[in-house]
mmCIF file of all heavy atoms in Angstrom:
data_model
loop_
_atom_site.group_PDB
_atom_site.id
_atom_site.type_symbol
_atom_site.label_atom_id
_atom_site.label_comp_id
_atom_site.label_asym_id
_atom_site.label_seq_id
_atom_site.Cartn_x
_atom_site.Cartn_y
_atom_site.Cartn_z
ATOM 1 N N VAL H 52 -10.896 16.044 6.490
ATOM 2 C CA VAL H 52 -10.612 15.252 5.304
ATOM 3 C C VAL H 52 -11.920 14.897 4.622
ATOM 4 O O VAL H 52 -12.897 14.513 5.282
ATOM 5 C CB VAL H 52 -9.801 13.988 5.663
ATOM 6 C CG1 VAL H 52 -9.604 13.096 4.450
ATOM 7 C CG2 VAL H 52 -8.454 14.389 6.260
ATOM 8 N N TYR H 53 -11.929 15.053 3.302
ATOM 9 C CA TYR H 53 -13.118 14.790 2.477
ATOM 10 C C TYR H 53 -12.764 13.850 1.337
ATOM 11 O O TYR H 53 -11.663 13.907 0.792
ATOM 12 C CB TYR H 53 -13.644 16.083 1.840
ATOM 13 C CG TYR H 53 -14.242 17.058 2.802
ATOM 14 C CD1 TYR H 53 -13.451 17.986 3.474
ATOM 15 C CD2 TYR H 53 -15.618 17.075 3.023
ATOM 16 C CE1 TYR H 53 -14.007 18.894 4.350
ATOM 17 C CE2 TYR H 53 -16.180 17.994 3.906
ATOM 18 C CZ TYR H 53 -15.364 18.894 4.561
ATOM 19 O OH TYR H 53 -15.933 19.789 5.434
ATOM 20 N N ILE H 54 -13.714 13.003 0.980
ATOM 21 C CA ILE H 54 -13.691 12.265 -0.272
ATOM 22 C C ILE H 54 -14.790 12.894 -1.094
ATOM 23 O O ILE H 54 -15.969 12.747 -0.781
ATOM 24 C CB ILE H 54 -13.929 10.761 -0.050
ATOM 25 C CG1 ILE H 54 -12.806 10.167 0.801
ATOM 26 C CG2 ILE H 54 -14.059 10.042 -1.390
ATOM 27 C CD1 ILE H 54 -13.056 8.746 1.250
ATOM 28 N N ASP H 55 -14.396 13.649 -2.119
ATOM 29 C CA ASP H 55 -15.299 14.551 -2.834
ATOM 30 C C ASP H 55 -15.970 15.463 -1.809
ATOM 31 O O ASP H 55 -15.283 16.206 -1.137
ATOM 32 C CB ASP H 55 -16.294 13.806 -3.722
ATOM 33 C CG ASP H 55 -15.763 13.613 -5.143
ATOM 34 O OD1 ASP H 55 -14.812 14.320 -5.533
ATOM 35 O OD2 ASP H 55 -16.302 12.773 -5.864
ATOM 36 N N GLU H 56 -17.276 15.395 -1.650
ATOM 37 C CA GLU H 56 -17.956 16.267 -0.687
ATOM 38 C C GLU H 56 -18.363 15.539 0.594
ATOM 39 O O GLU H 56 -19.046 16.097 1.435
ATOM 40 C CB GLU H 56 -19.191 16.905 -1.341
ATOM 41 C CG GLU H 56 -18.862 17.760 -2.556
ATOM 42 C CD GLU H 56 -17.854 18.857 -2.238
ATOM 43 O OE1 GLU H 56 -17.977 19.527 -1.200
ATOM 44 O OE2 GLU H 56 -16.919 19.035 -3.042
ATOM 45 N N VAL H 57 -17.926 14.296 0.746
ATOM 46 C CA VAL H 57 -18.259 13.507 1.929
ATOM 47 C C VAL H 57 -17.145 13.672 2.964
ATOM 48 O O VAL H 57 -15.993 13.346 2.703
ATOM 49 C CB VAL H 57 -18.444 12.013 1.580
ATOM 50 C CG1 VAL H 57 -18.720 11.193 2.824
ATOM 51 C CG2 VAL H 57 -19.556 11.853 0.554
ATOM 52 N N ARG H 58 -17.527 14.176 4.128
ATOM 53 C CA ARG H 58 -16.557 14.431 5.201
ATOM 54 C C ARG H 58 -16.179 13.110 5.877
ATOM 55 O O ARG H 58 -17.037 12.375 6.355
ATOM 56 C CB ARG H 58 -17.155 15.387 6.225
ATOM 57 C CG ARG H 58 -16.207 15.839 7.279
ATOM 58 C CD ARG H 58 -16.890 16.932 8.130
ATOM 59 N NE ARG H 58 -16.270 17.022 9.411
ATOM 60 C CZ ARG H 58 -16.566 16.275 10.475
ATOM 61 N NH1 ARG H 58 -17.530 15.401 10.408
ATOM 62 N NH2 ARG H 58 -15.920 16.426 11.605
ATOM 63 N N VAL H 59 -14.892 12.832 5.918
ATOM 64 C CA VAL H 59 -14.361 11.623 6.544
ATOM 65 C C VAL H 59 -14.159 11.848 8.032
ATOM 66 O O VAL H 59 -14.434 10.981 8.850
ATOM 67 C CB VAL H 59 -13.038 11.201 5.871
ATOM 68 C CG1 VAL H 59 -12.352 10.095 6.640
ATOM 69 C CG2 VAL H 59 -13.282 10.808 4.433
ATOM 70 N N GLY H 60 -13.650 13.013 8.416
ATOM 71 C CA GLY H 60 -13.427 13.299 9.827
ATOM 72 C C GLY H 60 -12.478 14.455 10.052
ATOM 73 O O GLY H 60 -11.919 15.011 9.109
ATOM 74 N N ASP H 61 -12.326 14.817 11.326
ATOM 75 C CA ASP H 61 -11.397 15.864 11.759
ATOM 76 C C ASP H 61 -10.127 15.208 12.272
ATOM 77 O O ASP H 61 -10.185 14.203 12.985
ATOM 78 C CB ASP H 61 -11.982 16.678 12.921
ATOM 79 C CG ASP H 61 -13.139 17.547 12.494
ATOM 80 O OD1 ASP H 61 -13.146 18.012 11.345
ATOM 81 O OD2 ASP H 61 -14.039 17.769 13.311
ATOM 82 N N PHE H 62 -9.006 15.818 11.950
ATOM 83 C CA PHE H 62 -7.722 15.311 12.410
ATOM 84 C C PHE H 62 -6.872 16.491 12.864
ATOM 85 O O PHE H 62 -6.972 17.594 12.316
ATOM 86 C CB PHE H 62 -7.011 14.537 11.300
ATOM 87 C CG PHE H 62 -7.798 13.356 10.823
ATOM 88 C CD1 PHE H 62 -8.668 13.476 9.750
ATOM 89 C CD2 PHE H 62 -7.698 12.128 11.459
ATOM 90 C CE1 PHE H 62 -9.418 12.399 9.315
ATOM 91 C CE2 PHE H 62 -8.444 11.046 11.038
ATOM 92 C CZ PHE H 62 -9.308 11.172 9.967
ATOM 93 N N TYR H 63 -6.053 16.253 13.875
ATOM 94 C CA TYR H 63 -5.158 17.275 14.418
ATOM 95 C C TYR H 63 -3.719 16.791 14.288
ATOM 96 O O TYR H 63 -3.462 15.586 14.285
ATOM 97 C CB TYR H 63 -5.470 17.520 15.901
ATOM 98 C CG TYR H 63 -6.798 18.170 16.136
ATOM 99 C CD1 TYR H 63 -7.959 17.418 16.164
ATOM 100 C CD2 TYR H 63 -6.893 19.544 16.325
ATOM 101 C CE1 TYR H 63 -9.192 18.014 16.378
ATOM 102 C CE2 TYR H 63 -8.123 20.149 16.543
ATOM 103 C CZ TYR H 63 -9.263 19.376 16.567
ATOM 104 O OH TYR H 63 -10.475 19.976 16.773
#
Side-chain angles (χ1 to χ4, degrees):
V52 175
Y53 291 86
I54 297 171
D55 269 342
E56 300 304 316
V57 177
R58 187 173 158 275
V59 171
D61 290 328
F62 300 92
Y63 292 83

